[in-house]
Amino acid sequence: MVIKQKILIVDDDNNIAELISLYLTKECYETMIVNDGESVIPSMKSFGPNLILLDVMLPGMDGYQVCREIRAKYSIPIIMLSAKGEVFDKVLGLELGADDYIEKPFDSKELVARTKAVLRRYKPASASSGSSDDKCVQYPDLSINLTNYSVLYRGQTVEMPPKELELLYFLAASPNRVFTREQLLDQIWGYEYLGDTRTVDVHIKRLRAKIKDHAKWKIATIWGIGYKFEVFNL
């Protein structure tokens, strides 16, 4: 029996929410709709979604507040939906922990494609098979496993959204190699993401808040170019 992936749709416009649900149901996803921010956390606990589509303009608690609250406890992927298309709004959503940001009105095929892309990148830790094909890089006090999407830092599990983990893994898998922001945007977000290079800066900032510089390694900024995972005396 195939277990359907679950998507929680959060939008105060029920017509839009029902339309999104229709698109995703046709793609064999199971959906649940909530119309306000306060209902999101309780609905997450009862429904157990694999991904959240989160509108920004919600009554009471807006999408930014909801995203902040989710990220305080959970690493579930979040795609924000909004009619606000300014760079500031996108960057704010990403800084708060969203994995992607889609402007309204959106094309149904684009919404489905981005949903699939984010879900492809996310695999809960329990999905690890423990095979020799595990994609894992290790440094003193740091282990990044792309197979089961887990990070161990100083012996503790660090929760982070898929994009953050992928960016960290990509840099750490090529120590001391410099990547431009454009290269990182293309490698991590791919063709389906039409963003600007500030997206990379936002995710690097969030990584540095969780993974501090170590005596043996650090995420280094190469001014005017991009970033590298710098290692020392290894």
Side-chain angles (χ1 to χ4, degrees):
M1 179 179 177
V2 177
I3 299 176
K4 293 183 178 180
Q5 290 183 296
K6 299 179 179 181
I7 299 176
L8 181 64
I9 302 167
V10 187
D11 200 309
D12 64 327
D13 187 326
N14 204 56
N15 291 328
I16 292 177
E18 291 286 356
L19 191 59
I20 293 172
S21 178
L22 179 62
Y23 296 149
L24 296 174
T25 300
K26 286 182 178 179
E27 297 293 326
C28 296
Y29 293 109
E30 183 178 346
T31 64
M32 178 179 181
I33 295 172
V34 297
N35 302 119
D36 61 87
E38 287 82 358
S39 301
V40 174
I41 298 298
S43 297
M44 284 178 60
K45 293 178 179 179
S46 62
F47 183 56
N50 301 99
L51 180 144
I52 298 174
L53 292 175
L54 178 63
D55 186 34
V56 171
M57 303 300 291
L58 295 170
M61 183 185 295
D62 67 21
Y64 295 130
Q65 293 174 289
V66 174
C67 186
R68 185 185 294 111
E69 188 169 317
I70 293 171
R71 279 290 166 261
K73 297 180 179 179
Y74 307 97
S75 60
I76 182 172
I78 300 170
I79 298 178
M80 299 197 86
L81 309 175
S82 177
K84 296 182 176 182
E86 298 298 322
V87 171
F88 170 80
D89 299 303
K90 295 180 181 179
V91 171
L92 178 58
L94 293 168
E95 283 183 334
L96 292 174
D99 296 280
D100 204 348
Y101 190 107
I102 303 177
E103 290 181 47
K104 293 180 177 180
F106 47 78
D107 181 82
S108 61
K109 291 181 180 179
E110 179 186 9
L111 175 67
V112 171
R114 291 200 184 191
T115 298
K116 288 181 177 180
V118 171
L119 285 170
R120 276 199 306 269
R121 293 186 174 100
Y122 179 78
K123 296 178 182 178
S126 61
S128 173
S129 65
S131 70
S132 60
D133 294 330
D134 282 358
K135 294 181 179 180
C136 183
V137 292
Q138 294 184 327
Y139 294 95
D141 295 320
L142 179 66
S143 175
I144 312 156
N145 193 316
L146 194 62
T147 300
N148 62 20
Y149 274 64
S150 64
V151 175
L152 283 177
Y153 173 60
R154 298 188 183 279
Q156 300 294 320
T157 298
V158 179
E159 295 292 337
M160 59 179 63
K163 288 288 197 306
E164 285 182 31
L165 191 148
E166 290 165 17
L167 179 58
L168 179 61
Y169 176 86
F170 184 77
L171 289 169
S174 299
N176 294 321
R177 179 178 172 182
V178 177
F179 293 96
T180 67
R181 290 171 174 82
E182 290 79 8
Q183 287 175 319
L184 294 172
L185 191 66
D186 181 64
Q187 288 290 331
I188 306 304
W189 283 264
Y191 71 91
E192 79 278 356
Y193 185 79
L194 301 176
D196 63 71
T197 55
R198 290 182 62 185
T199 299
V200 177
D201 296 335
V202 168
H203 281 73
I204 290 291
K205 179 181 177 181
R206 282 159 45 186
L207 281 173
R208 284 173 170 161
K210 299 174 182 178
I211 307 293
K212 307 297 182 181
D213 288 351
H214 191 277
K216 296 291 186 179
W217 49 262
K218 71 175 184 178
I219 301 173
T221 299
I222 309 302
W223 297 108
I225 301 176
Y227 300 96
K228 71 175 179 178
F229 190 89
E230 188 172 3
V231 297
F232 314 99
N233 303 320
L234 285 180

